[in-house]
Amino acid sequence: MSAYLLRGVSVVGAEPTDLLIRDGVVAGLGRDTGAAGAEVIDADGLLALPGLVDLHTHLREPGREDAETVETGSRAAALGGYTAVCAMANTDPVADTAGVVEQVWRLGRAAGLVDVQPVGAVTVGLAGERLAELGAMATSAANVRIFSDDGHCVSDPRLMRRALEYVKAFDGVIAQHAEEPRHTVGAQLHEGDVAARLGLPGWPAVAEEAIIARDALLAGHVGARLHICHVSTAGSVEILRWAKRRGVRVTAEVTPHHLLLTDERAEGYDPVFKVNPPLRTRADVTALRAALAEGVLDAVATDHAPHAVEDKECEWAYARPGMLGLQTALSIVYSTGALDWDGIAERMSRTPARIAGLAGHGQDPAPGVPANLTLVDPAGTWVVEPGNLASLSRNTPYAGMELPGRVVATFLRGEPTVLDGKAVR
Ligand SMILES: [Zn+2]
């Protein structure tokens, strides 16, 4: 295996030093580490962060390989500074059996660019009617720990309770897409002034908040772990704060786009801004940023949702919801100013790794730790060119924007997946 000496690097904002990577681990930290034979990388002015971990990625394989594959999504992730991603279950076929989650897990290993950790479906076919083979997915080679019907809400409260009881036995977690479906029939964007002005059916905040409140109560009652996907409203933050104070084992994520964009973006009817849950108001964005800094929101997750051109470049009402996120997440979060670099390491690496149970990820670079890390130029900027992104899809809401913070290199178990800002393979 190869060796690399990162010369003059600052580990999560500490004083600059040298960091030696050898045999897949951080072999030394400090000047004068024995670096014989190591390839030297000038890391003057660069930060080393623990490799980012995404709790919420749609890789689209199997089923929609025209929109993304495990390999192309993995490459986008590595370029975004990620070393591990959790692949959502709403593929075709749905990842609701040991066979499908093992297939996704093997494709991830074959691509070898990030660790792809499959998420298993909660219900068969995401239909919300009966539980999938949660135990068989947990004991499969994919070692599934997070289960989610994401894209759909597990709206039946009895089924949700049974799912929580089931995964409690092996300390699994149910990740809920909180959307009471009877409140969002035909919904196109956030229910509020903009939707009223545009004459489009609204997606009310209460549809999210009601499910979070219900499931926090259920998780507390059962004593099981609950995770809330893509929290988007100020009211949800208040419910989560209340639940955490009561000792409910609940964690929550927020997306970069909900930390930056508002429903006013819908004014031009450009479907690139159509997403589920929808972009909310300025007051929601402010509350989400504060909650992320405070820790009521535990993690940033991308909800990277690639879509083929025909599903996105059409009339607003017919467009599929979702936007790309992996390659822009770090820069977007940094641009909001909500977190310092230690906060970014905490919310984009350490905590999500802990929630997902991913050993070897989310650890600050230190001697003996697996070398899963990303090198960032905090002073660097870059312009988002959709055609230059590694994803097979082009639905980024940030096209043409100049963003701060540039990923220079990413290492997965000591081997570079990205060098000089470019994918190594
Ligand atoms: Zn979702």
Side-chain angles (χ1 to χ4, degrees):
M1 289 181 99
S2 25
Y4 298 88
L5 183 72
L6 311 184
R7 182 164 281 160
V9 73
S10 160
V11 176
V12 201
E15 285 300 302
T17 187
D18 295 348
L19 190 157
L20 179 66
I21 296 170
R22 198 190 286 283
D23 297 334
V25 300
V26 176
L29 196 58
R31 304 290 187 183
D32 305 317
T33 49
E39 185 176 324
V40 176
I41 294 173
D42 177 15
D44 196 28
L46 304 186
L47 283 168
L49 301 178
L52 306 185
V53 174
D54 192 19
L55 289 169
H56 194 141
T57 306
H58 296 278
L59 292 176
R60 303 296 186 218
E61 188 177 5
R64 284 308 298 264
E65 291 84 351
D66 57 326
E68 197 78 289
T69 67
V70 170
E71 184 183 334
T72 60
S74 293
R75 190 169 293 118
L79 285 161
Y82 287 87
T83 52
V85 302
C86 297
M88 278 298 169
N90 63 338
T91 48
D92 184 12
V94 171
D96 59 1
T97 63
V100 179
V101 293
E102 284 188 350
Q103 179 194 358
V104 172
W105 179 73
R106 288 212 176 84
L107 288 165
R109 298 256 297 194
L113 294 161
V114 290
D115 283 345
V116 174
Q117 175 57 52
V119 172
V122 177
T123 69
V124 175
L126 309 176
E129 282 162 13
R130 54 198 174 86
L131 288 187
E133 304 168 1
L134 309 185
M137 289 189 271
T139 54
S140 74
N143 192 25
V144 175
R145 285 295 172 275
I146 301 179
F147 297 88
S148 181
D149 273 4
D150 184 60
H152 301 268
C153 182
V154 180
S155 63
D156 179 337
R158 275 183 63 217
L159 203 57
M160 187 61 182
R161 176 181 175 167
R162 284 185 50 215
L164 287 164
E165 286 170 342
Y166 202 103
V167 299
K168 187 188 174 189
F170 50 87
D171 204 32
V173 56
I174 302 293
Q176 176 70 292
H177 168 117
E179 175 185 358
E180 167 50 60
R182 284 159 290 196
H183 287 314
T184 60
V185 176
Q188 293 293 329
L189 73 158
H190 171 66
E191 182 182 300
D193 294 345
V194 177
R197 204 153 57 233
L198 300 184
L200 290 172
W203 196 128
V206 71
E208 174 174 307
E209 293 156 5
I211 292 293
I212 296 176
R214 182 201 79 176
D215 288 354
L217 290 168
L218 279 175
H221 181 62
V222 170
R225 288 175 60 204
L226 169 70
H227 179 75
I228 304 297
C229 298
H230 41 53
V231 170
S232 69
T233 80
S236 296
V237 168
E238 289 314 304
I239 294 161
L240 287 163
R241 183 182 283 111
W242 170 84
K244 287 183 165 196
R245 262 197 210 127
R246 280 171 63 106
V248 175
R249 300 171 74 198
V250 60
T251 54
E253 70 189 33
V254 61
T255 70
H257 48 272
H258 288 111
L259 290 170
L260 182 70
L261 306 173
T262 69
D263 60 345
E264 289 170 0
R265 298 295 182 121
E267 304 263 17
Y269 293 98
D270 182 346
V272 81
F273 297 109
K274 182 171 173 178
V275 65
N276 188 9
L279 301 175
R280 303 288 186 183
T281 66
R282 179 55 54 195
D284 293 306
V285 168
T286 302
L288 294 173
R289 288 182 184 183
L292 185 66
E294 183 189 344
V296 174
L297 297 176
D298 301 83
V300 174
T302 67
D303 196 4
H304 177 80
H307 285 299
V309 168
E310 66 270 23
D311 291 326
K312 209 56 190 170
E313 291 176 19
C314 53
E315 235 182 277
W316 180 284
Y318 300 112
R320 302 279 303 274
M323 36 182 76
L324 301 183
L326 286 169
Q327 264 183 268
T328 47
L330 180 70
S331 291
I332 295 297
V333 172
Y334 180 44
S335 79
T336 66
L339 300 172
D340 60 14
W341 287 107
D342 186 64
I344 286 175
E346 186 67 29
R347 304 270 172 254
M348 298 185 76
S349 177
R350 298 178 201 131
T351 302
R354 196 162 60 238
I355 291 169
L358 293 173
H361 291 276
Q363 294 173 268
D364 285 1
V369 163
N372 297 315
L373 57 93
T374 182
L375 268 187
V376 179
D377 179 2
T381 61
W382 63 291
V383 176
V384 182
E385 312 260 17
N388 290 344
L389 299 175
S391 173
L392 284 182
S393 295
R394 296 288 169 261
N395 53 307
T396 174
Y398 313 115
M401 277 176 66
E402 183 174 357
L403 300 181
R406 211 169 55 83
V407 173
V408 175
T410 309
F411 289 84
L412 178 64
R413 281 182 287 282
E415 294 299 329
T417 54
V418 173
L419 277 180
D420 293 327
K422 293 181 189 68
V424 169
R425 58 183 190 281

